[in-house]
Amino acid sequence: LPGLAADYILQTVAEGLHHPWSVAPLADGSFLVTERRGRLLHLSAEGEQTVISGVPDTYVAGQGGFFDILPHPDFASNRLVYLSYARGTPGSNGTAVERAILRDGELVERELLLEVDPPKDTPQHYGGRLLFLPDGSLLVATGDGFEYREAAQDLESELGKVLRIQDDGAVPDDNPFPASASRRVWTYGHRNTQGLALNGDSGSVYLHEHGPRGGDELNVLQAGANYGWPAITYGVDYSGAYVSPFTHLEGMAQPATYWVPSIAPSGMAWYGGDKFPAWRGDLFIGALVNREVRRLDMVGDEVLSESALFGELDERIRDVRSGEDGYLYLLTDSGQGKLVRVVPAREAGAD
């Protein structure tokens, strides 16, 4: 059957990456990769590494560091890239987003577009995933700060939210909460978001987030919706105590699917390529706990079934991306991380 191990080959593009967090395949066959420790790399199509200079200082502690790297939709002409990262000090830190022009191996004309408000004093649950919508606006996923979970329900706080801004940092006029203290809020009630993906056919936006013990969720985002954390959850606290006795409450959205026990989802890609026809329209989600990728067989926004792939790597998968070339790309999370390309076996065999 399509999708079994015999139908693909895993090719190592680069190795020796130090806890890489995000990969952005570029149209010329090269890649941008963030390392959580605060380095941004350019990898050639052959995997040769160049360290990009001019990056912002970052707060590296706990889960903090560099997060997502995302080229502007018009990157080929404007060379703009967007970087999310942890900014601040142990007593006052949070997720920030900058944009800059990538020129001759350096970030120039840097602009700080967003700092999550309020800052926090915990080095966990930053979120940090970025996604451009078809209208050119930018989604920024934030975490709840771990010890501030009630803030996920507070529209005056940007913790535990998905924020929406224009590509220059301005607030879109049609955001759903114009009267709230933060007009940037697009959705709320999230715990620790680690994946954002766009359905290239329908325009649906998918987000996944870590639950506590159990209760990892895949959500289909709708502007203005409340996804429930911590008022509703399918998980329990790390102590075994209830976070909430409720899994459903009126006015709060249900996930498209959830995982008990947790898989620790990380990175996500919607596959719209032509290299693997049987996978078209499906979601691919890194599963850190299981050291594999979960393929969700999708019809529209409905999850029909789920299967495990790429477990033969025996690596924590931090990011999953679908390249314009039709291949899938995986980042493994370790001190000697790898960038791996998934290629159809029939194609690899023809080399």
Side-chain angles (χ1 to χ4, degrees):
L1 293 174
L4 296 179
D7 294 309
Y8 63 78
I9 300 292
L10 299 177
Q11 298 177 340
T12 299
V13 178
E15 49 194 347
L17 307 172
H18 190 271
H19 292 285
W21 206 90
S22 172
V23 58
L26 301 178
D28 65 358
S30 65
F31 307 87
L32 297 174
V33 173
T34 58
E35 292 180 332
R36 194 176 57 80
R37 61 181 172 179
R39 286 208 313 179
L40 177 60
L41 304 176
H42 181 257
L43 306 183
S44 72
E46 295 72 37
E48 297 174 0
Q49 300 180 26
T50 303
V51 179
I52 293 173
S53 61
V55 298
D57 292 333
T58 191
Y59 175 57
V60 180
Q63 297 168 348
F66 275 6
F67 304 130
D68 226 348
I69 184 71
L70 187 65
H72 190 279
D74 297 324
F75 173 77
S77 57
N78 63 24
R79 303 292 294 176
L80 284 171
V81 295
Y82 292 72
L83 175 70
S84 58
Y85 65 102
R87 175 184 172 94
T89 65
S92 179
N93 66 82
T95 306
V97 178
E98 287 197 10
R99 77 171 182 177
I101 294 172
L102 177 59
R103 181 185 298 148
D104 299 326
E106 181 180 7
L107 295 186
V108 299
E109 299 183 34
R110 280 174 36 206
E111 299 175 81
L112 180 64
L113 299 187
L114 180 151
E115 285 186 277
V116 170
D117 183 43
K120 57 188 181 59
D121 58 3
T122 56
Q124 284 91 29
H125 291 201
Y126 291 90
R129 290 289 179 192
L130 305 174
L131 179 70
F132 275 107
L133 296 182
D135 66 4
S137 62
L138 178 67
L139 298 184
V140 181
T142 78
D144 68 353
F146 187 64
E147 293 179 7
Y148 300 92
R149 64 192 189 196
E150 301 301 330
Q153 288 294 315
D154 180 0
L155 289 173
E156 295 185 359
S157 170
E158 294 181 336
L159 296 174
K161 308 296 191 293
V162 175
L163 310 178
R164 177 173 173 251
I165 58 175
Q166 303 286 23
D167 65 354
D168 62 357
V171 180
D173 292 336
D174 59 348
N175 271 4
F177 301 108
S180 72
S182 176
R183 295 173 51 239
R184 298 189 290 210
V185 172
W186 198 63
T187 63
Y188 66 112
H190 303 293
R191 184 173 182 267
N192 189 24
T193 53
Q194 293 290 290
L196 271 174
L198 177 74
N199 183 318
D201 289 339
S202 70
S204 291
V205 178
Y206 306 111
L207 171 147
H208 66 58
E209 56 190 282
H210 286 213
R213 282 178 57 187
D216 301 341
E217 295 182 0
L218 173 72
N219 287 300
V220 184
L221 297 188
Q222 299 288 339
N226 179 0
Y227 291 85
W229 175 257
I232 59 173
T233 178
Y234 288 90
V236 297
D237 223 334
Y238 294 112
S239 66
Y242 274 124
V243 174
S244 166
F246 302 109
T247 57
H248 295 66
L249 284 174
E250 186 176 354
M252 296 184 182
Q254 282 292 301
T257 192
Y258 63 91
W259 292 273
V260 178
S262 292
I263 64 168
S266 186
M268 175 164 56
W270 179 84
Y271 184 72
D274 58 2
K275 300 290 187 182
F276 296 96
W279 292 352
R280 198 181 192 292
D282 293 346
L283 288 172
F284 291 80
I285 297 172
L288 294 170
V289 167
N290 307 84
R291 302 169 77 88
E292 64 194 18
V293 170
R294 297 293 176 92
R295 172 197 169 201
L296 304 188
D297 184 8
M298 306 289 291
V299 172
D301 295 333
E302 182 180 353
V303 180
L304 290 190
S305 63
E306 181 175 334
S307 57
L309 290 170
F310 318 133
E312 63 268 31
L313 283 170
D314 192 27
E315 297 268 10
R316 286 162 51 94
I317 306 297
R318 176 58 67 182
D319 201 9
V320 187
R321 296 289 168 133
S322 179
E324 293 181 17
D325 54 16
Y327 301 121
L328 276 176
Y329 291 92
L330 316 174
L331 270 186
T332 69
D333 176 30
S334 75
Q336 292 292 318
K338 299 177 181 178
L339 174 61
V340 176
R341 179 189 293 117
V342 185
V343 178
R346 64 184 183 279
E347 185 174 317
D351 288 348

PDB file of all heavy atoms in Angstrom, residues 66-92:
ATOM      1  N   PHE A  66      15.551  30.091  19.701  1.00  0.00           N
ATOM      2  CA  PHE A  66      14.981  30.358  18.387  1.00  0.00           C
ATOM      3  C   PHE A  66      13.889  29.339  18.096  1.00  0.00           C
ATOM      4  O   PHE A  66      14.019  28.157  18.386  1.00  0.00           O
ATOM      5  CB  PHE A  66      16.064  30.267  17.297  1.00  0.00           C
ATOM      6  CG  PHE A  66      16.857  31.536  17.102  1.00  0.00           C
ATOM      7  CD1 PHE A  66      16.703  32.631  17.930  1.00  0.00           C
ATOM      8  CD2 PHE A  66      17.765  31.640  16.059  1.00  0.00           C
ATOM      9  CE1 PHE A  66      17.421  33.793  17.740  1.00  0.00           C
ATOM     10  CE2 PHE A  66      18.498  32.793  15.852  1.00  0.00           C
ATOM     11  CZ  PHE A  66      18.329  33.873  16.700  1.00  0.00           C
ATOM     12  N   PHE A  67      12.818  29.812  17.456  1.00  0.00           N
ATOM     13  CA  PHE A  67      11.707  28.947  17.094  1.00  0.00           C
ATOM     14  C   PHE A  67      11.582  28.888  15.566  1.00  0.00           C
ATOM     15  O   PHE A  67      12.419  28.293  14.898  1.00  0.00           O
ATOM     16  CB  PHE A  67      10.405  29.425  17.762  1.00  0.00           C
ATOM     17  CG  PHE A  67      10.494  29.540  19.250  1.00  0.00           C
ATOM     18  CD1 PHE A  67      10.077  30.699  19.900  1.00  0.00           C
ATOM     19  CD2 PHE A  67      10.992  28.502  20.022  1.00  0.00           C
ATOM     20  CE1 PHE A  67      10.158  30.814  21.281  1.00  0.00           C
ATOM     21  CE2 PHE A  67      11.086  28.602  21.401  1.00  0.00           C
ATOM     22  CZ  PHE A  67      10.667  29.775  22.030  1.00  0.00           C
ATOM     23  N   ASP A  68      10.561  29.521  15.029  1.00  0.00           N
ATOM     24  CA  ASP A  68      10.246  29.340  13.611  1.00  0.00           C
ATOM     25  C   ASP A  68      11.018  30.307  12.727  1.00  0.00           C
ATOM     26  O   ASP A  68      11.321  31.440  13.130  1.00  0.00           O
ATOM     27  CB  ASP A  68       8.748  29.553  13.387  1.00  0.00           C
ATOM     28  CG  ASP A  68       8.119  28.488  12.505  1.00  0.00           C
ATOM     29  OD1 ASP A  68       8.864  27.709  11.880  1.00  0.00           O
ATOM     30  OD2 ASP A  68       6.881  28.426  12.458  1.00  0.00           O
ATOM     31  N   ILE A  69      11.291  29.867  11.501  1.00  0.00           N
ATOM     32  CA  ILE A  69      11.814  30.734  10.445  1.00  0.00           C
ATOM     33  C   ILE A  69      10.896  30.565   9.246  1.00  0.00           C
ATOM     34  O   ILE A  69      10.593  29.442   8.847  1.00  0.00           O
ATOM     35  CB  ILE A  69      13.277  30.403  10.071  1.00  0.00           C
ATOM     36  CG1 ILE A  69      13.825  31.382   9.038  1.00  0.00           C
ATOM     37  CG2 ILE A  69      13.451  28.952   9.644  1.00  0.00           C
ATOM     38  CD1 ILE A  69      14.075  32.765   9.560  1.00  0.00           C
ATOM     39  N   LEU A  70      10.407  31.682   8.713  1.00  0.00           N
ATOM     40  CA  LEU A  70       9.402  31.617   7.661  1.00  0.00           C
ATOM     41  C   LEU A  70       9.672  32.690   6.615  1.00  0.00           C
ATOM     42  O   LEU A  70       9.684  33.877   6.936  1.00  0.00           O
ATOM     43  CB  LEU A  70       8.005  31.828   8.263  1.00  0.00           C
ATOM     44  CG  LEU A  70       6.811  31.638   7.333  1.00  0.00           C
ATOM     45  CD1 LEU A  70       6.715  30.193   6.863  1.00  0.00           C
ATOM     46  CD2 LEU A  70       5.519  32.042   8.045  1.00  0.00           C
ATOM     47  N   PRO A  71       9.902  32.300   5.373  1.00  0.00           N
ATOM     48  CA  PRO A  71      10.061  33.312   4.313  1.00  0.00           C
ATOM     49  C   PRO A  71       8.726  33.983   4.003  1.00  0.00           C
ATOM     50  O   PRO A  71       7.655  33.370   4.106  1.00  0.00           O
ATOM     51  CB  PRO A  71      10.547  32.489   3.108  1.00  0.00           C
ATOM     52  CG  PRO A  71      10.950  31.155   3.650  1.00  0.00           C
ATOM     53  CD  PRO A  71      10.117  30.937   4.874  1.00  0.00           C
ATOM     54  N   HIS A  72       8.787  35.238   3.623  1.00  0.00           N
ATOM     55  CA  HIS A  72       7.616  35.960   3.138  1.00  0.00           C
ATOM     56  C   HIS A  72       7.110  35.278   1.864  1.00  0.00           C
ATOM     57  O   HIS A  72       7.895  34.706   1.104  1.00  0.00           O
ATOM     58  CB  HIS A  72       8.012  37.413   2.847  1.00  0.00           C
ATOM     59  CG  HIS A  72       6.870  38.327   2.560  1.00  0.00           C
ATOM     60  ND1 HIS A  72       6.272  38.395   1.310  1.00  0.00           N
ATOM     61  CD2 HIS A  72       6.221  39.236   3.344  1.00  0.00           C
ATOM     62  CE1 HIS A  72       5.304  39.294   1.344  1.00  0.00           C
ATOM     63  NE2 HIS A  72       5.249  39.820   2.549  1.00  0.00           N
ATOM     64  N   PRO A  73       5.796  35.308   1.597  1.00  0.00           N
ATOM     65  CA  PRO A  73       5.296  34.714   0.347  1.00  0.00           C
ATOM     66  C   PRO A  73       5.987  35.265  -0.901  1.00  0.00           C
ATOM     67  O   PRO A  73       6.071  34.555  -1.915  1.00  0.00           O
ATOM     68  CB  PRO A  73       3.812  35.060   0.370  1.00  0.00           C
ATOM     69  CG  PRO A  73       3.472  35.187   1.819  1.00  0.00           C
ATOM     70  CD  PRO A  73       4.689  35.771   2.462  1.00  0.00           C
ATOM     71  N   ASP A  74       6.466  36.509  -0.850  1.00  0.00           N
ATOM     72  CA  ASP A  74       7.181  37.111  -1.981  1.00  0.00           C
ATOM     73  C   ASP A  74       8.691  37.147  -1.733  1.00  0.00           C
ATOM     74  O   ASP A  74       9.390  38.048  -2.200  1.00  0.00           O
ATOM     75  CB  ASP A  74       6.667  38.536  -2.228  1.00  0.00           C
ATOM     76  CG  ASP A  74       5.204  38.559  -2.619  1.00  0.00           C
ATOM     77  OD1 ASP A  74       4.770  37.633  -3.329  1.00  0.00           O
ATOM     78  OD2 ASP A  74       4.483  39.485  -2.200  1.00  0.00           O
ATOM     79  N   PHE A  75       9.183  36.136  -1.006  1.00  0.00           N
ATOM     80  CA  PHE A  75      10.602  36.109  -0.643  1.00  0.00           C
ATOM     81  C   PHE A  75      11.518  36.220  -1.859  1.00  0.00           C
ATOM     82  O   PHE A  75      12.566  36.872  -1.800  1.00  0.00           O
ATOM     83  CB  PHE A  75      10.909  34.816   0.118  1.00  0.00           C
ATOM     84  CG  PHE A  75      12.370  34.587   0.406  1.00  0.00           C
ATOM     85  CD1 PHE A  75      13.001  35.275   1.427  1.00  0.00           C
ATOM     86  CD2 PHE A  75      13.106  33.687  -0.357  1.00  0.00           C
ATOM     87  CE1 PHE A  75      14.355  35.077   1.689  1.00  0.00           C
ATOM     88  CE2 PHE A  75      14.454  33.483  -0.107  1.00  0.00           C
ATOM     89  CZ  PHE A  75      15.082  34.178   0.919  1.00  0.00           C
ATOM     90  N   ALA A  76      11.132  35.606  -2.963  1.00  0.00           N
ATOM     91  CA  ALA A  76      11.994  35.618  -4.155  1.00  0.00           C
ATOM     92  C   ALA A  76      12.312  37.034  -4.603  1.00  0.00           C
ATOM     93  O   ALA A  76      13.409  37.292  -5.129  1.00  0.00           O
ATOM     94  CB  ALA A  76      11.333  34.844  -5.292  1.00  0.00           C
ATOM     95  N   SER A  77      11.387  37.966  -4.364  1.00  0.00           N
ATOM     96  CA  SER A  77      11.627  39.341  -4.802  1.00  0.00           C
ATOM     97  C   SER A  77      12.018  40.276  -3.661  1.00  0.00           C
ATOM     98  O   SER A  77      12.823  41.191  -3.849  1.00  0.00           O
ATOM     99  CB  SER A  77      10.387  39.904  -5.512  1.00  0.00           C
ATOM    100  OG  SER A  77       9.252  39.839  -4.669  1.00  0.00           O
ATOM    101  N   ASN A  78      11.462  40.039  -2.427  1.00  0.00           N
ATOM    102  CA  ASN A  78      11.756  40.996  -1.347  1.00  0.00           C
ATOM    103  C   ASN A  78      12.757  40.488  -0.312  1.00  0.00           C
ATOM    104  O   ASN A  78      13.216  41.266   0.530  1.00  0.00           O
ATOM    105  CB  ASN A  78      10.467  41.456  -0.650  1.00  0.00           C
ATOM    106  CG  ASN A  78       9.724  40.323   0.057  1.00  0.00           C
ATOM    107  OD1 ASN A  78      10.287  39.304   0.431  1.00  0.00           O
ATOM    108  ND2 ASN A  78       8.420  40.517   0.251  1.00  0.00           N
ATOM    109  N   ARG A  79      13.082  39.190  -0.317  1.00  0.00           N
ATOM    110  CA  ARG A  79      14.094  38.583   0.564  1.00  0.00           C
ATOM    111  C   ARG A  79      13.741  38.732   2.045  1.00  0.00           C
ATOM    112  O   ARG A  79      14.601  38.627   2.921  1.00  0.00           O
ATOM    113  CB  ARG A  79      15.486  39.176   0.301  1.00  0.00           C
ATOM    114  CG  ARG A  79      15.970  39.059  -1.115  1.00  0.00           C
ATOM    115  CD  ARG A  79      16.241  37.626  -1.512  1.00  0.00           C
ATOM    116  NE  ARG A  79      17.367  37.045  -0.763  1.00  0.00           N
ATOM    117  CZ  ARG A  79      17.753  35.779  -0.880  1.00  0.00           C
ATOM    118  NH1 ARG A  79      17.087  34.961  -1.690  1.00  0.00           N
ATOM    119  NH2 ARG A  79      18.782  35.320  -0.187  1.00  0.00           N
ATOM    120  N   LEU A  80      12.471  38.943   2.368  1.00  0.00           N
ATOM    121  CA  LEU A  80      12.058  39.073   3.759  1.00  0.00           C
ATOM    122  C   LEU A  80      11.878  37.705   4.411  1.00  0.00           C
ATOM    123  O   LEU A  80      11.288  36.787   3.824  1.00  0.00           O
ATOM    124  CB  LEU A  80      10.740  39.839   3.860  1.00  0.00           C
ATOM    125  CG  LEU A  80      10.787  41.353   3.681  1.00  0.00           C
ATOM    126  CD1 LEU A  80       9.374  41.914   3.593  1.00  0.00           C
ATOM    127  CD2 LEU A  80      11.554  42.017   4.830  1.00  0.00           C
ATOM    128  N   VAL A  81      12.402  37.585   5.637  1.00  0.00           N
ATOM    129  CA  VAL A  81      12.166  36.393   6.445  1.00  0.00           C
ATOM    130  C   VAL A  81      11.639  36.821   7.807  1.00  0.00           C
ATOM    131  O   VAL A  81      11.903  37.935   8.276  1.00  0.00           O
ATOM    132  CB  VAL A  81      13.438  35.539   6.623  1.00  0.00           C
ATOM    133  CG1 VAL A  81      13.903  34.972   5.289  1.00  0.00           C
ATOM    134  CG2 VAL A  81      14.558  36.327   7.293  1.00  0.00           C
ATOM    135  N   TYR A  82      10.883  35.924   8.442  1.00  0.00           N
ATOM    136  CA  TYR A  82      10.261  36.172   9.739  1.00  0.00           C
ATOM    137  C   TYR A  82      10.786  35.134  10.721  1.00  0.00           C
ATOM    138  O   TYR A  82      10.784  33.927  10.422  1.00  0.00           O
ATOM    139  CB  TYR A  82       8.732  36.084   9.614  1.00  0.00           C
ATOM    140  CG  TYR A  82       8.168  37.216   8.780  1.00  0.00           C
ATOM    141  CD1 TYR A  82       8.360  37.257   7.399  1.00  0.00           C
ATOM    142  CD2 TYR A  82       7.481  38.264   9.384  1.00  0.00           C
ATOM    143  CE1 TYR A  82       7.881  38.313   6.642  1.00  0.00           C
ATOM    144  CE2 TYR A  82       6.979  39.320   8.634  1.00  0.00           C
ATOM    145  CZ  TYR A  82       7.187  39.340   7.263  1.00  0.00           C
ATOM    146  OH  TYR A  82       6.716  40.387   6.506  1.00  0.00           O
ATOM    147  N   LEU A  83      11.212  35.598  11.884  1.00  0.00           N
ATOM    148  CA  LEU A  83      11.823  34.736  12.889  1.00  0.00           C
ATOM    149  C   LEU A  83      11.101  34.931  14.216  1.00  0.00           C
ATOM    150  O   LEU A  83      10.924  36.064  14.673  1.00  0.00           O
ATOM    151  CB  LEU A  83      13.304  35.094  13.057  1.00  0.00           C
ATOM    152  CG  LEU A  83      14.075  34.371  14.159  1.00  0.00           C
ATOM    153  CD1 LEU A  83      14.275  32.907  13.793  1.00  0.00           C
ATOM    154  CD2 LEU A  83      15.434  35.039  14.395  1.00  0.00           C
ATOM    155  N   SER A  84      10.663  33.836  14.825  1.00  0.00           N
ATOM    156  CA  SER A  84      10.098  33.901  16.182  1.00  0.00           C
ATOM    157  C   SER A  84      11.120  33.338  17.158  1.00  0.00           C
ATOM    158  O   SER A  84      11.852  32.391  16.848  1.00  0.00           O
ATOM    159  CB  SER A  84       8.782  33.121  16.258  1.00  0.00           C
ATOM    160  OG  SER A  84       8.953  31.771  15.896  1.00  0.00           O
ATOM    161  N   TYR A  85      11.157  33.922  18.353  1.00  0.00           N
ATOM    162  CA  TYR A  85      12.182  33.531  19.316  1.00  0.00           C
ATOM    163  C   TYR A  85      11.786  34.006  20.707  1.00  0.00           C
ATOM    164  O   TYR A  85      10.882  34.838  20.870  1.00  0.00           O
ATOM    165  CB  TYR A  85      13.545  34.102  18.914  1.00  0.00           C
ATOM    166  CG  TYR A  85      13.642  35.614  18.938  1.00  0.00           C
ATOM    167  CD1 TYR A  85      14.256  36.275  19.986  1.00  0.00           C
ATOM    168  CD2 TYR A  85      13.105  36.382  17.900  1.00  0.00           C
ATOM    169  CE1 TYR A  85      14.334  37.665  20.007  1.00  0.00           C
ATOM    170  CE2 TYR A  85      13.188  37.768  17.912  1.00  0.00           C
ATOM    171  CZ  TYR A  85      13.804  38.399  18.971  1.00  0.00           C
ATOM    172  OH  TYR A  85      13.876  39.775  19.002  1.00  0.00           O
ATOM    173  N   ALA A  86      12.452  33.461  21.708  1.00  0.00           N
ATOM    174  CA  ALA A  86      12.252  33.882  23.087  1.00  0.00           C
ATOM    175  C   ALA A  86      13.132  35.103  23.348  1.00  0.00           C
ATOM    176  O   ALA A  86      14.328  35.085  23.082  1.00  0.00           O
ATOM    177  CB  ALA A  86      12.598  32.753  24.045  1.00  0.00           C
ATOM    178  N   ARG A  87      12.529  36.151  23.889  1.00  0.00           N
ATOM    179  CA  ARG A  87      13.218  37.415  24.101  1.00  0.00           C
ATOM    180  C   ARG A  87      13.035  37.842  25.550  1.00  0.00           C
ATOM    181  O   ARG A  87      11.942  37.709  26.112  1.00  0.00           O
ATOM    182  CB  ARG A  87      12.629  38.469  23.154  1.00  0.00           C
ATOM    183  CG  ARG A  87      13.142  39.904  23.317  1.00  0.00           C
ATOM    184  CD  ARG A  87      12.380  40.803  22.361  1.00  0.00           C
ATOM    185  NE  ARG A  87      12.661  42.223  22.575  1.00  0.00           N
ATOM    186  CZ  ARG A  87      13.580  42.911  21.911  1.00  0.00           C
ATOM    187  NH1 ARG A  87      14.317  42.305  20.998  1.00  0.00           N
ATOM    188  NH2 ARG A  87      13.765  44.195  22.153  1.00  0.00           N
ATOM    189  N   GLY A  88      14.103  38.359  26.153  1.00  0.00           N
ATOM    190  CA  GLY A  88      13.976  38.915  27.490  1.00  0.00           C
ATOM    191  C   GLY A  88      14.955  38.325  28.477  1.00  0.00           C
ATOM    192  O   GLY A  88      16.066  37.912  28.124  1.00  0.00           O
ATOM    193  N   THR A  89      14.521  38.262  29.736  1.00  0.00           N
ATOM    194  CA  THR A  89      15.347  37.848  30.868  1.00  0.00           C
ATOM    195  C   THR A  89      14.595  36.781  31.656  1.00  0.00           C
ATOM    196  O   THR A  89      13.395  36.565  31.436  1.00  0.00           O
ATOM    197  CB  THR A  89      15.626  39.046  31.787  1.00  0.00           C
ATOM    198  OG1 THR A  89      14.367  39.492  32.358  1.00  0.00           O
ATOM    199  CG2 THR A  89      16.261  40.203  31.018  1.00  0.00           C
ATOM    200  N   PRO A  90      15.277  36.111  32.613  1.00  0.00           N
ATOM    201  CA  PRO A  90      14.563  35.097  33.401  1.00  0.00           C
ATOM    202  C   PRO A  90      13.302  35.641  34.074  1.00  0.00           C
ATOM    203  O   PRO A  90      12.303  34.926  34.181  1.00  0.00           O
ATOM    204  CB  PRO A  90      15.614  34.655  34.420  1.00  0.00           C
ATOM    205  CG  PRO A  90      16.921  34.852  33.731  1.00  0.00           C
ATOM    206  CD  PRO A  90      16.736  36.106  32.901  1.00  0.00           C
ATOM    207  N   GLY A  91      13.322  36.885  34.519  1.00  0.00           N
ATOM    208  CA  GLY A  91      12.164  37.430  35.208  1.00  0.00           C
ATOM    209  C   GLY A  91      11.126  38.065  34.319  1.00  0.00           C
ATOM    210  O   GLY A  91      10.019  38.380  34.774  1.00  0.00           O
ATOM    211  N   SER A  92      11.451  38.264  33.027  1.00  0.00           N
ATOM    212  CA  SER A  92      10.531  38.947  32.118  1.00  0.00           C
ATOM    213  C   SER A  92      10.877  38.558  30.688  1.00  0.00           C
ATOM    214  O   SER A  92      11.775  39.126  30.075  1.00  0.00           O
ATOM    215  CB  SER A  92      10.638  40.471  32.287  1.00  0.00           C
ATOM    216  OG  SER A  92       9.775  41.139  31.393  1.00  0.00           O
TER     217      SER A  92
END
